[in-house]
Amino acid sequence: MSTRGSFKVAVTKEDLVFAAAHFITLPGHRCESLHGHNYRAGVTVEGALDPEGWYVLDFVALKRLMKQLTQELDHRVLLPTENPKLAVARNAGRVTVAFDGAERYVFPAADCVLLPIPNTTVEMLAQYLARRLRDELARGPEAVGGGVHAIELDVEENFGQRASYREVFD
Ligand SMILES: [Zn+2]
């Protein structure tokens, strides 16, 4: 019998808070009003040990990357660019948002983050952040030995209300 073990490292959510405004579209012709959350993100990385460091990932590097990704969303309006019910357009320093063909919001462009997701649900935000982290890890020196097997990212929008997304690498 052979066995195979793996390790998980996790970064807690205490310093990964981002305050952001958003609204989501709902099934049918429904759309929430603009509102905000103090979101909290957390991440678990699974993988093999680096043969020299005896760790999966350097915590300092993982925290720095997560901080950087969440900071990009902090104090911004989060807008999805792949929602078929929303037209999000940026021009002349402004972002206009139309829902079902009717203009709904105009924001200063500098206050917005346009995200390549269909809706700013916690599920989609978790997936977006997981993929951004994956891409950052792939290009950075943190990808020691390429030993990362999976990333699980969770996002909480209200106390006790959260979603997580897990991506596994072959
Ligand atoms: Zn909300």
PDB file of all heavy atoms in Angstrom, residues 22 32 35 37 157, ligand 1:
ATOM      1  N   HIS A  22     -21.769  47.492  -4.687  1.00  0.00           N
ATOM      2  CA  HIS A  22     -22.166  46.636  -5.801  1.00  0.00           C
ATOM      3  C   HIS A  22     -23.675  46.504  -5.849  1.00  0.00           C
ATOM      4  O   HIS A  22     -24.394  47.015  -4.994  1.00  0.00           O
ATOM      5  CB  HIS A  22     -21.499  45.252  -5.672  1.00  0.00           C
ATOM      6  CG  HIS A  22     -22.293  44.266  -4.867  1.00  0.00           C
ATOM      7  ND1 HIS A  22     -22.411  42.934  -5.196  1.00  0.00           N
ATOM      8  CD2 HIS A  22     -23.044  44.422  -3.738  1.00  0.00           C
ATOM      9  CE1 HIS A  22     -23.185  42.319  -4.316  1.00  0.00           C
ATOM     10  NE2 HIS A  22     -23.572  43.188  -3.427  1.00  0.00           N
ATOM     11  N   GLU A  32     -30.820  44.551  -8.066  1.00  0.00           N
ATOM     12  CA  GLU A  32     -30.714  45.171  -6.752  1.00  0.00           C
ATOM     13  C   GLU A  32     -30.364  46.655  -6.879  1.00  0.00           C
ATOM     14  O   GLU A  32     -29.791  47.081  -7.877  1.00  0.00           O
ATOM     15  CB  GLU A  32     -29.583  44.522  -5.940  1.00  0.00           C
ATOM     16  CG  GLU A  32     -29.862  43.125  -5.461  1.00  0.00           C
ATOM     17  CD  GLU A  32     -28.726  42.622  -4.572  1.00  0.00           C
ATOM     18  OE1 GLU A  32     -27.573  43.077  -4.706  1.00  0.00           O
ATOM     19  OE2 GLU A  32     -29.001  41.752  -3.744  1.00  0.00           O
ATOM     20  N   HIS A  35     -25.552  49.106  -3.168  1.00  0.00           N
ATOM     21  CA  HIS A  35     -25.324  49.062  -1.720  1.00  0.00           C
ATOM     22  C   HIS A  35     -23.906  48.565  -1.477  1.00  0.00           C
ATOM     23  O   HIS A  35     -23.202  48.224  -2.428  1.00  0.00           O
ATOM     24  CB  HIS A  35     -26.353  48.150  -1.041  1.00  0.00           C
ATOM     25  CG  HIS A  35     -26.279  46.734  -1.499  1.00  0.00           C
ATOM     26  ND1 HIS A  35     -26.854  46.294  -2.670  1.00  0.00           N
ATOM     27  CD2 HIS A  35     -25.642  45.666  -0.970  1.00  0.00           C
ATOM     28  CE1 HIS A  35     -26.600  45.017  -2.834  1.00  0.00           C
ATOM     29  NE2 HIS A  35     -25.855  44.600  -1.814  1.00  0.00           N
ATOM     30  N   HIS A  37     -20.796  46.428   1.057  1.00  0.00           N
ATOM     31  CA  HIS A  37     -20.460  45.404   2.042  1.00  0.00           C
ATOM     32  C   HIS A  37     -19.026  45.619   2.509  1.00  0.00           C
ATOM     33  O   HIS A  37     -18.202  46.126   1.751  1.00  0.00           O
ATOM     34  CB  HIS A  37     -20.521  43.991   1.451  1.00  0.00           C
ATOM     35  CG  HIS A  37     -21.864  43.580   0.975  1.00  0.00           C
ATOM     36  ND1 HIS A  37     -22.879  43.209   1.829  1.00  0.00           N
ATOM     37  CD2 HIS A  37     -22.375  43.475  -0.279  1.00  0.00           C
ATOM     38  CE1 HIS A  37     -23.947  42.880   1.122  1.00  0.00           C
ATOM     39  NE2 HIS A  37     -23.672  43.038  -0.164  1.00  0.00           N
ATOM     40  N   GLU A 157     -19.730  38.288   2.520  1.00  0.00           N
ATOM     41  CA  GLU A 157     -20.246  39.653   2.290  1.00  0.00           C
ATOM     42  C   GLU A 157     -20.967  40.202   3.516  1.00  0.00           C
ATOM     43  O   GLU A 157     -21.019  41.406   3.708  1.00  0.00           O
ATOM     44  CB  GLU A 157     -21.119  39.740   1.037  1.00  0.00           C
ATOM     45  CG  GLU A 157     -22.429  39.018   1.108  1.00  0.00           C
ATOM     46  CD  GLU A 157     -23.303  39.244  -0.117  1.00  0.00           C
ATOM     47  OE1 GLU A 157     -22.849  39.822  -1.113  1.00  0.00           O
ATOM     48  OE2 GLU A 157     -24.467  38.826  -0.051  1.00  0.00           O
TER      49      GLU A 157
HETATM   50 ZN    ZN B   1     -24.808  42.880  -1.817  1.00  0.00          ZN
END
